[in-house]
Amino acid sequence: MSNVLIDWPARYRQLALEARYPELQRFYQAGIASGEQTLGETEFVAMDFETTGLDSAGDEIVSIGLVPFTWQRIYCRQARHWLVQPKRNLAEQSIVIHGITHSEVEDAPDLMSVLAPLLEALEKRVVVVHYHAIERPFLANSLFRRINEGIEFALIDTMAVERQALLARRGFIGRLLGEKIGSLRLADCRTRYNLPPYGVHNAMTDALATAELLQAQLRYHYRTDTPLNQLWM
């Protein structure tokens, strides 16, 4: 993939020195795999959020789903799911999408109450999401509003992986003719690998769907000895 290569281990070391909040310090101090580590050796964790809207600068997280996995296995028993109370009211449009209601979140804890187990689940693992412009900025901005400090972490975006694969399959002639590469929605990406359909807009289900999708993408398009830094961003 044509990502700008980031030295994430070095970035974590720097952030460990700069972080003020204890849980963030601990997260960065735990470190992250080297970019030269192979995909076959890497521990991943798929993460998905349901939110009050699509603007990370003002909208809030209402649920979090996490599913740890590797190239070969998905660890469903270690999966985690939290409902959290947003600092702003749920919009009716978002309720229609994810089905989480006001009554369900009114007794839910604030994000800070689940931050420690959340970061512990992410520790030393490469986060996997479907569309990088949601989970990383939402978590960073949500923390910034609470503790005046954001978060950074290494991730792989299955949408970007799929886009790269579709562009490669389209070829030179297809690019010249302006052929469209096809849908990058999570469900449509899964269909290309004959993965089963799941219900959408549930954080736990979408995290599992994302984990399965990356496993399929890796098997179709990469080798187990491919360096991690070819995919992360």
Side-chain angles (χ1 to χ4, degrees):
M1 295 182 67
S2 57
N3 299 322
V4 176
L5 292 181
I6 300 174
D7 186 348
W8 277 110
R11 183 60 181 154
Y12 275 45
R13 289 192 293 270
Q14 181 62 37
L15 290 168
L17 298 174
E18 297 173 358
R20 300 180 303 278
Y21 199 76
E23 276 80 4
L24 288 175
Q25 290 176 346
R26 197 154 38 244
F27 170 72
Y28 294 130
Q29 288 167 355
I32 191 68
S34 162
E36 286 73 42
Q37 179 172 293
T38 69
L39 295 173
E41 299 170 319
T42 300
E43 292 188 354
F44 306 104
V45 57
M47 181 164 69
D48 186 82
F49 294 162
E50 296 302 325
T51 63
T52 60
L54 297 177
D55 178 12
S56 65
D59 286 309
E60 287 272 326
I61 299 165
V62 293
S63 69
I64 302 168
L66 296 179
V67 177
F69 69 105
T70 63
W71 180 292
Q72 295 180 319
R73 289 190 62 187
I74 291 177
Y75 299 95
C76 289
R77 289 187 179 181
Q78 298 175 28
R80 302 295 302 272
H81 181 251
W82 295 279
L83 284 179
V84 293
Q85 189 175 99
K87 284 185 172 294
R88 61 172 295 176
N89 291 331
L90 293 170
E92 293 304 319
Q93 183 180 6
S94 71
I95 294 173
V96 170
I97 292 172
H98 51 60
I100 299 170
T101 63
H102 297 281
S103 61
E104 289 179 286
V105 298
E106 64 181 0
D107 294 324
D110 184 75
L111 174 65
M112 298 309 296
S113 297
V114 305
L115 183 62
L118 170 61
L119 293 182
E120 183 179 356
L122 301 185
E123 262 186 26
K124 300 182 181 181
R125 292 186 169 102
V126 176
V127 176
V128 179
V129 302
H130 192 74
Y131 188 44
H132 67 275
I134 297 294
E135 280 74 18
R136 193 158 56 185
F138 259 93
L139 186 55
N141 287 334
S142 294
L143 291 180
F144 198 84
R145 286 191 287 271
R146 288 162 172 81
I147 59 173
N148 202 34
E149 190 170 1
I151 188 172
E152 297 179 31
F153 48 85
L155 64 74
I156 292 175
D157 180 356
T158 52
M159 180 182 287
V161 172
E162 189 67 8
R163 183 176 187 277
Q164 189 75 12
L166 291 173
L167 286 172
R169 189 174 70 179
R170 185 177 64 169
F172 178 70
I173 299 300
R175 289 195 297 273
L176 283 180
L177 296 175
E179 292 179 0
K180 294 183 179 180
I181 61 173
S183 171
L184 294 172
R185 292 166 61 91
L186 178 58
D188 295 327
C189 292
R190 287 174 56 84
T191 298
R192 295 188 187 100
Y193 301 93
N194 298 313
L195 294 170
Y198 289 157
V200 296
H201 301 303
N202 173 281
M204 175 62 77
T205 303
D206 285 350
L208 176 60
T210 300
E212 292 177 345
L213 175 59
L214 184 66
Q215 283 187 326
Q217 290 171 325
L218 296 183
R219 283 178 169 82
Y220 271 76
H221 308 299
Y222 296 91
R223 294 161 40 122
T224 56
D225 60 357
T226 301
L228 178 59
N229 60 20
Q230 287 196 19
L231 272 74
W232 72 11
M233 59 176 64

